[in-house]
Amino acid sequence: MSTSILYHGFGLRGVEYERLGCEDGALVLGVRLPADQIRCPACGSADVIGRGGKERRLRAPGIGGKRVFVDVTAPRVECHVCGAVRQVKLEFAGPKRRLTRAMERYVLELSRLTTIDDVAQHLHLSWDTVKDLQAEHLRRRFSKPKLKRLTVLGIDEIAVGKGHSYLTLVLDMKSGAVVFVGDGKGADALGPFWKRLRASHAKIEAVAMDMSAAYIGAVREALPKAAIVFDRFHVMKLMNQAVDTVRRSLQNSQEDEAERKTVKGCRWLLLKNIENLDTERDEQKRLQAAIEPHQPLCLAWLLKEELRMFWQQESREHAAAFLESWIGLAEASGIEPLEKMAKTLLKHWDGLLTWYDYPISNGPLEGTNNKIQTMKRQAYGFRDREFYKLKILGIHEAKYALVG
Ligand SMILES: [Zn+2]
């Protein structure tokens, strides 16, 4: 077999062909390292003498549906120059794993297309082998993001699993990249991030976040000069929760079973943006029919749709007038969750209007959030928290986002 085939077909560089066999339906390719090319791993000298070696069987990418193994002896040598006795490193395989580097690359390539379970099954590898390869790749590529050029940050928290466990994410709002994943939520979760940010000497101008007190305090303390912005993504998330609270209490108070079901069933339609309601599926009509008999629900929905306009005002002054009028309407509604929302907005007035100085796009936070929701449904679940954090750090780069 030619060196060219060994290299281009199997990713084996610097070896000589010895034999080809068949074992249990798999091809076994025997190769060896040419004696005259063996060098001392410590000093590079060619003046070495063999001291045994280690037999290794490595998995390589398959051919024609058949699995391929490579048998090779990794020689151990004694050096006449520096006196070291060491194992020679193979160029085409890592020291520990039982796969060639070409096979590792192939596993990562497939990982971009499908889940860990699928890759493991298709290649007859264990779930852990595939996961470990992904983790190593993600760690190498994403575990220490450069923070120096950051100017606008977004802070978000996500619930993990079914318990009340959280992760806190920090995003670069310009690129959408997740630059930090911290354990838990609130000020404590951000501690390690501030440390790294200080070391990077980044000049942060603005931070987008939700209106919860914990993050506000933490950001004021760590970045006293940065503007705090309550962005559309976070404000509308809270508004949607208020609408859903109105809906749920109405649902619980319905005595008629059919009506209770209708109120329950309109949940997603209520939260959808009006322009996204699908006319072909009669979503507008269905929503109208569900909420029309219930004045509080109608009002909640209208105020939700209205609030979205806050970010589309001509100027900061217009926005201030808009906000004042919205708060007035919500306060006068007599519906508790809406009154509460009005209070929250009033309390965070400045940070809401600051959006007009830093018109942060909704895209990065929303996009990352959606991708994380999709990832949550993947089969690997939450068996490994560190791995999950790595996956989140890599999530924005579609090309490298490993699927499941
Ligand atoms: Zn040496």
Side-chain angles (χ1 to χ4, degrees):
M1 197 174 291
S2 77
T3 330
S4 168
I5 290 183
L6 286 173
Y7 177 51
H8 295 290
F10 297 94
L12 303 173
R13 193 203 285 267
V15 296
E16 279 170 356
Y17 170 74
E18 243 178 359
R19 67 193 133 73
L20 185 62
C22 198
E23 276 179 40
D24 303 325
L27 296 175
V28 181
L29 177 64
V31 298
R32 67 169 168 261
L33 269 61
D36 57 350
Q37 282 177 33
I38 294 172
R39 299 282 179 275
C40 164
C43 74
S45 161
D47 192 4
V48 293
I49 150 168
R51 284 281 179 258
K54 191 181 162 202
E55 305 266 341
R56 297 183 66 184
R57 174 162 284 191
L58 305 163
R59 184 73 190 279
I63 319 175
K66 280 198 191 305
R67 280 178 292 158
V68 172
F69 291 93
V70 175
D71 278 354
V72 63
T73 300
R76 225 162 75 95
V77 294
E78 183 179 339
C79 177
H80 285 146
V81 176
C82 73
V85 181
R86 287 205 194 162
Q87 181 100 33
V88 172
K89 282 187 194 128
L90 299 177
E91 257 187 76
F92 50 87
K96 297 256 165 64
R97 210 168 268 129
R98 287 188 291 190
L99 307 174
T100 63
R101 296 217 190 271
M103 185 65 180
E104 293 179 7
R105 285 192 294 275
Y106 185 50
V107 169
L108 290 175
E109 239 164 69
L110 284 184
S111 295
R112 277 166 209 148
L113 304 172
T114 186
T115 63
I116 295 179
D117 277 335
D118 289 347
V119 176
Q121 208 169 11
H122 177 65
L123 298 176
H124 302 277
L125 292 171
S126 75
W127 191 93
D128 286 313
T129 301
V130 178
K131 191 219 86 175
D132 288 347
L133 275 168
Q134 288 196 10
E136 193 184 285
H137 165 80
L138 291 167
R139 205 174 294 123
R140 212 168 36 228
R141 204 156 187 314
F142 297 110
S143 66
K144 289 272 180 300
K146 294 215 170 30
L147 306 180
K148 197 171 184 280
R149 288 168 195 277
L150 288 179
T151 54
V152 182
L153 302 179
I155 299 178
D156 201 9
E157 67 191 29
I158 53 161
V160 180
K162 283 181 181 141
H164 293 278
S165 175
Y166 291 87
L167 290 176
T168 294
L169 315 186
V170 181
L171 275 80
D172 174 354
M173 293 300 283
K174 295 214 162 130
S175 69
V178 177
V179 294
F180 174 78
V181 185
D183 288 304
K185 60 175 179 176
D188 290 347
L190 288 168
F193 177 69
W194 301 137
K195 220 172 144 184
R196 275 175 41 204
L197 192 66
R198 268 196 301 277
S200 77
H201 301 289
K203 299 209 174 11
I204 304 302
E205 293 169 22
V207 185
M209 65 179 102
D210 68 18
M211 295 177 279
S212 70
Y215 290 129
I216 299 172
V219 171
R220 287 245 160 84
E221 201 187 312
L223 302 168
K225 285 181 188 159
I228 290 178
V229 185
F230 303 119
D231 60 293
R232 196 176 91 183
F233 171 76
H234 282 116
V235 176
M236 288 313 295
K237 198 165 144 188
L238 197 66
M239 183 67 212
N240 279 336
Q241 281 167 13
V243 173
D244 202 47
T245 307
V246 175
R247 185 199 58 76
R248 214 171 33 231
S249 77
L250 202 65
Q251 174 191 323
N252 293 337
S253 69
Q254 295 305 306
E255 279 170 14
D256 180 63
E257 184 60 23
E259 193 51 35
R260 211 176 69 84
K261 271 197 174 145
T262 311
V263 175
K264 189 179 176 186
C266 73
R267 180 169 184 215
W268 295 111
L269 296 179
L270 264 175
L271 304 184
K272 251 184 162 180
N273 293 342
I274 188 168
E275 67 276 11
N276 295 341
L277 289 170
D278 190 338
T279 20
E280 272 173 35
R281 296 161 91 182
D282 277 338
E283 288 188 343
Q284 274 147 336
K285 278 186 197 154
R286 274 160 52 207
L287 178 63
Q288 199 181 352
I291 67 177
E292 223 166 36
H294 308 288
Q295 202 230 348
L297 205 50
C298 262
L299 204 53
W301 180 77
L302 279 170
L303 280 171
K304 186 260 298 182
E305 280 302 317
E306 179 78 7
L307 186 58
R308 294 174 57 217
M309 301 297 135
F310 171 75
W311 293 273
Q312 288 168 30
Q313 302 300 309
E314 262 173 54
S315 66
R316 192 189 167 105
E317 288 66 40
H318 281 90
F322 178 96
L323 192 58
E324 194 178 356
S325 126
W326 192 95
I327 290 172
L329 283 172
E331 273 173 342
S333 69
I335 300 161
E336 208 235 305
L338 302 179
E339 290 169 357
K340 204 173 142 203
M341 186 71 192
K343 250 189 215 141
T344 306
L345 294 185
L346 192 60
K347 193 174 159 199
H348 298 94
W349 180 271
D350 289 335
L352 287 161
L353 289 167
T354 303
W355 186 85
Y356 279 85
D357 302 323
Y358 296 95
I360 286 163
S361 143
N362 229 21
L365 281 170
E366 207 161 78
T368 303
N369 219 277
N370 288 342
K371 282 183 190 166
I372 289 173
Q373 297 310 320
T374 311
M375 205 168 81
K376 275 186 182 177
R377 289 193 285 270
Q378 302 289 353
Y380 69 87
F382 303 96
R383 280 179 263 186
D384 183 334
R385 173 68 74 96
E386 284 312 306
F387 181 53
Y388 188 54
K389 286 162 76 174
L390 282 169
K391 297 277 271 191
I392 293 173
L393 281 167
I395 210 166
H396 67 289
E397 268 195 36
K399 201 175 151 201
Y400 291 98
L402 306 173
V403 175

